[in-house]
Amino acid sequence: MAQLKIKLVKSINGRIQKHIATAESLGLRRIGQETIQPDNAQTRGKIAKIGYLLEVTEVK
């Protein structure tokens, strides 16, 4: 199963509360923090919502 490596590259300070909650649901709280998530529709939806804060790469 494919997985995605997601890194928070911009601060969540001052963002919309729903965007902050989305970042935290991905396990991202600080700039530079990374997490590995499964590549599924739920994760893709979260990335689409806050993609401007993230850097996403595919893990094989």
Side-chain angles (χ1 to χ4, degrees):
M1 181 175 196
Q3 294 188 325
L4 299 172
K5 184 180 191 182
I6 305 168
K7 182 177 181 179
L8 188 65
V9 294
K10 290 188 177 181
S11 175
I12 57 174
N13 287 342
R15 305 292 178 186
I16 299 170
Q17 194 62 36
K18 286 184 178 183
H19 291 195
I20 295 170
T22 302
E24 290 180 355
S25 74
L26 287 169
L28 302 169
R29 298 179 188 274
R30 293 183 304 276
I31 295 174
Q33 202 169 13
E34 295 180 349
T35 184
I36 296 179
Q37 299 289 328
D39 187 4
N40 57 30
Q42 183 179 9
T43 305
R44 290 284 180 169
K46 291 177 183 180
I47 291 169
K49 189 170 187 179
I50 61 167
Y52 66 99
L53 300 173
L54 307 174
E55 179 180 287
V56 181
T57 55
E58 191 171 328
V59 177
K60 295 187 179 188

